[in-house]
């Protein structure tokens, strides 16, 4: 049986600039934050992201300038914390194309 575990660096190396990625989790829960911090520091860019309710981990990539486009239902930090700041700033500056849908 093929081994399914790998190092964080190996997982990050499976991604390349310009790819479409879906980051798991839901808003502030069960998100792969450590992976996204590593990916943000890897110098990748041009990602198209897909997520029902992306949150902190996806916002790390938005804030780092890795994301060009994102398809989502709601992108924020729950009711208490509002919209994700990296995502919001990227949209306001025209760096991120936001495509909202249900």
């Amino acid at each position: 049986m093929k081994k399914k575990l790998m190092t964080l660096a190996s997982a990050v190396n499976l991604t390349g600039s310009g790819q479409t990625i879906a980051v798991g989790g839901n808003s502030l829960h069960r998100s792969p934050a450590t992976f996204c911090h590593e990916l943000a520091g890897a110098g990748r860019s041009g990602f198209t992201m897909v997520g029902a309710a992306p949150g902190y981990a996806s916002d790390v990539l938005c804030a780092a300038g890795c994301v060009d486009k994102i398809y989502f239902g709601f992108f924020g930090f729950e009711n208490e914390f509002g919209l994700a700041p990296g995502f919001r700033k990227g949209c306001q500056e025209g760096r991120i194309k936001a495509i909202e849908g249900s």
Side-chain angles (χ1 to χ4, degrees):
M1 177 180 260
K2 185 176 178 181
K3 186 177 176 183
K4 296 180 181 181
L5 296 177
M6 65 179 64
T7 66
L8 190 58
S10 295
V12 166
N13 285 333
L14 292 174
T15 66
S17 292
Q19 290 183 330
T20 298
I21 60 173
V23 174
N26 185 3
S27 195
L28 295 176
H29 307 283
R30 299 178 307 277
S31 65
T34 303
F35 172 78
C36 287
H37 277 274
E38 287 287 320
L39 185 56
R44 310 295 195 287
S45 62
F47 288 130
T48 295
M49 295 193 73
V50 179
Y56 175 75
S58 297
D59 195 51
V60 166
L61 296 175
C62 290
C66 301
V67 178
D68 287 350
K69 184 189 311 180
I70 184 159
Y71 295 87
F72 64 98
F74 170 76
F75 197 151
F77 293 166
E78 307 289 341
N79 294 330
E80 296 86 20
F81 308 111
L83 293 176
F87 163 71
R88 183 179 189 150
K89 184 176 181 184
C91 290
Q92 288 174 329
E93 293 176 352
R95 293 184 290 108
I96 298 174
K97 180 177 180 181
I99 303 162
E100 184 181 11
S102 57

